[in-house]
Amino acid sequence: AMAVIDSRTAGVLTPVESSNTSDPTNTIRSWVAQITGIPLDHVRRRWLPKPGTRPGVDENWCAVGFESVETHGNPDQIDRKGDLEKPESGDVLRVSHQTFRFVASFYGPSAALNADLFREGSQVFQNLRWLEKFGLKLQGFDGQVQRLPDLLYEQWVDRCDVRFSVGRAVRRTFGIRDLCAVGDIQIKTDSHSED
């Protein structure tokens, strides 16, 4: 295991603890599947390295992915005072607020219906609460659902895109220790007396 580097050691500091930092796409996939009733294996991650076989033209399915992540302003910083007897107890918690811009593309005969159902159903209080259990919060939808049919096997397959924003707070703790908790320190100053 890698040694934890804190401010008592020279070098670059990495977080000693992090939360809510992983890719939220799978949580959003599950949410879309539950709201629309589309089976989870038909609510796919967008832009997979190997996309696999596309569902048939008569099947309803969805592709979900985020297009951008915006971090708002500077992180909030909370210093936690250390215990003098425990040199590793003081640290700094930084909380960043982020917005993910997601797109869900609905395909198949019920593409428009499923896009509308998702837009509506996701705003139901109980469905919002489900998302919040995973540290995510719906921030809003684009006003319009875009209809962008795909030409597949020489026939048009309906596709409707829904864009929406999801927020989260990312927490990272860094081992920035209190000076008094580090041990005996001598402070040397250049003092010039002027007569």
Side-chain angles (χ1 to χ4, degrees):
M2 243 174 66
V4 171
I5 295 180
D6 65 22
S7 62
R8 295 171 299 165
T9 312
V12 175
L13 296 180
T14 55
V16 293
E17 205 175 85
S18 300
S19 68
N20 217 11
T21 56
S22 59
D23 178 349
T25 305
N26 282 338
T27 302
I28 298 297
R29 281 180 54 233
S30 179
W31 195 50
V32 170
Q34 291 178 73
I35 289 169
T36 60
I38 298 172
L40 185 59
D41 66 350
H42 274 52
V43 181
R44 298 180 165 194
R45 287 182 75 96
R46 206 177 183 95
W47 309 301
L48 281 172
K50 294 182 178 174
T53 311
R54 188 173 168 145
V57 291
D58 57 343
E59 290 185 83
N60 290 305
W61 65 286
C62 181
V64 177
F66 66 87
E67 297 175 309
S68 66
V69 187
E70 181 184 355
T71 302
H72 305 283
N74 293 322
D76 301 329
Q77 185 161 307
I78 301 133
D79 299 327
R80 289 193 286 221
K81 203 132 188 72
D83 178 342
L84 288 182
E85 305 303 311
K86 298 183 193 134
E88 294 198 4
S89 62
D91 55 35
V92 167
L93 169 67
R94 291 173 66 87
V95 182
S96 298
H97 298 279
Q98 296 181 330
T99 296
F100 283 78
R101 295 280 297 147
F102 271 93
V103 60
S105 295
F106 293 91
Y107 294 87
S110 304
L113 188 68
N114 284 326
D116 200 43
L117 175 57
F118 171 63
R119 212 180 59 75
E120 187 78 19
S122 60
Q123 297 175 70
V124 171
F125 185 68
Q126 191 167 324
N127 296 345
L128 292 171
R129 297 289 301 182
W130 185 90
L131 197 60
E132 287 169 11
K133 287 192 307 191
F134 298 91
L136 301 171
K137 192 172 182 70
L138 180 68
Q139 293 180 337
F141 278 89
D142 278 10
Q144 55 179 273
V145 171
Q146 285 190 299
R147 187 165 182 233
L148 305 159
D150 279 358
L151 190 58
L152 190 67
Y153 313 122
E154 297 183 6
Q155 69 180 95
W156 289 102
V157 177
D158 217 356
R159 169 184 159 193
C160 292
D161 283 7
V162 180
R163 283 184 165 75
F164 57 101
S165 300
V166 173
R168 74 174 182 188
V170 172
R171 291 174 170 75
R172 290 185 177 97
T173 302
F174 291 87
I176 299 172
R177 308 306 177 199
D178 296 336
L179 266 174
C180 59
V182 174
D184 290 335
I185 292 176
Q186 288 185 323
I187 298 175
K188 296 185 193 274
T189 59
D190 291 334
S191 54
H192 299 288
S193 57
E194 300 199 10
D195 294 326

